[in-house]
Amino acid sequence: LPAQEFSNILLDEVENGIYRLTINRPKTLNALNADTLKEMDAAIEILEADPSARVLLITGAGEKSFVAGADIEHMSHLTPIEGKAFAEQGMRIFRRLETLRIPVVALVNGYALGGGCELAMSCDFILAAENAKFGQPEVNLGITPGFGGSQRLTRLVGRAMAMELLVTGRTMSAEEAMRRGLVNHVYPQAELADEGMKLAAMIAGKSSSAIQLTKQLVQRGQDLDLDNACVMESDLFGLSFSTEDRQEGMSAFLENRKAKFS
Ligand code: CAA
């Protein structure tokens, strides 16, 4: 599916190598149905195939919501087997996003509930607007999280706080989410998009090979024991010495000039 045919999301290259994916169903507060997930999958495929891609920003259309969850209307018609397939679809796509070779940053501009919180947690990190709200309210619908919420929330905020949030279904403010380590920075709503672009430009100006190797280290390392994780780090450290960026980065330092990465 080419980007021009998307009807539930927007994918644009805002500047060289800086992509923005917007979940674009504002009438449902950007709820995720199967078609939206399919388009996200196609968008990730486009990014995977573009060697000039440097960073991906993900946000929601409108002023009110990032993503208010999986689409409850859609889910209300599903059998248990179909429900499982829907979870597997979301799980696979979020994992594909999480392991995309470039950094992925969520700009959470309002509600990030259920599947929305799960989407934000599948990004490398989160910038939030002051009005953002985070939570896993699935218990209120008589279901469990299905796109990785029970697992990623526990890894990000610890077991005790994750349990509290999961069993009460309560929402957290942006400020609380930052205090708990879920969110990196909170900005006034009107400044979130600009702050996201500033950060993206900073990332895009650095060594893309070093950034991609670093993402692999963090992503793969967190599921390894420390001995194997450190072996991987020395391997990729060695590999980074084979790049032109290493040549340029070190020469620039020694010559007292700013590095210009290709
Ligand atoms: N799915 C489908 N439609 C949704 C939706 C969702 N998750 N969230 C909001 N909408 C729709 C509403 O039905 C409403 O549609 P209509 O205008 O046609 O009535 C429209 O978006 C606006 O929503 P509200 O009128 O409810 O707006 P509000 O400001 O009063 O409340 C809200 C906002 C608190 C976010 C509320 O909409 C809400 O609680 N939404 C559901 C949140 C939720 O439970 N998310 C988890 C879903 S389960 C899940 O995600 C499973 C998983 O892990 C995979």
Side-chain angles (χ1 to χ4, degrees), residues 21 75 82 107 117 161 171-172 176 183-184 202 210 260:
L21 190 161
M75 290 189 293
E82 291 165 342
L107 304 182
C117 189
M161 188 46 60
T171 58
M172 265 190 300
E176 182 182 352
V183 161
N184 284 25
M202 184 192 283
K260 222 175 152 293

Side-chain angles (χ1 to χ4, degrees), residues 16-214:
N16 277 350
I18 302 177
Y19 278 89
R20 183 177 51 205
L21 190 161
T22 308
I23 311 298
N24 188 29
R25 301 182 73 217
K27 284 196 184 115
T28 61
L29 303 183
N30 306 320
L32 303 173
N33 59 9
D35 286 343
T36 309
L37 290 174
K38 258 190 226 152
E39 291 182 13
M40 291 173 70
D41 204 15
I44 296 168
E45 188 146 340
I46 291 170
L47 290 162
E48 284 174 348
D50 180 359
S52 71
R54 291 287 176 269
V55 54
L56 172 65
L57 302 171
I58 300 191
T59 195
E63 305 261 284
K64 197 172 155 183
S65 183
F66 174 69
V67 166
D71 190 313
I72 299 170
E73 208 284 318
H74 170 74
M75 290 189 293
S76 70
H77 305 291
L78 302 181
T79 64
I81 298 286
E82 291 165 342
K84 179 170 148 90
F86 183 55
E88 285 169 348
Q89 182 193 18
M91 210 72 93
R92 183 179 60 74
I93 293 164
F94 284 15
R95 186 69 182 140
R96 194 174 180 187
L97 183 70
E98 188 168 48
T99 54
L100 195 65
R101 65 180 186 283
I102 57 174
V104 181
V105 180
L107 304 182
V108 174
N109 57 319
Y111 292 113
L113 302 177
C117 189
E118 291 167 316
L119 173 60
M121 291 191 293
S122 301
C123 298
D124 289 303
F125 57 94
I126 302 174
L127 307 185
E130 278 166 355
N131 66 322
K133 294 258 186 275
F134 295 84
Q136 298 289 155
E138 286 86 349
V139 279
N140 299 329
L141 301 167
I143 59 172
T144 70
F147 297 164
S150 61
Q151 305 311 309
R152 290 195 180 88
L153 190 62
T154 306
R155 284 164 171 73
L156 285 163
V157 303
R159 191 186 63 168
M161 188 46 60
M163 268 304 276
E164 181 194 316
L165 292 163
L166 291 163
V167 303
T168 62
R170 77 170 171 91
T171 58
M172 265 190 300
S173 66
E175 194 280 323
E176 182 182 352
M178 183 162 70
R179 195 152 30 86
R180 308 231 177 264
L182 191 64
V183 161
N184 284 25
H185 300 281
V186 179
Y187 300 110
Q189 163 90 305
E191 291 167 24
L192 181 66
D194 281 354
E195 292 292 343
M197 276 306 290
K198 258 194 251 168
L199 175 89
M202 184 192 283
I203 293 171
K206 293 193 185 292
S207 160
S208 154
S209 56
I211 285 176
Q212 291 181 26
L213 291 173
T214 302

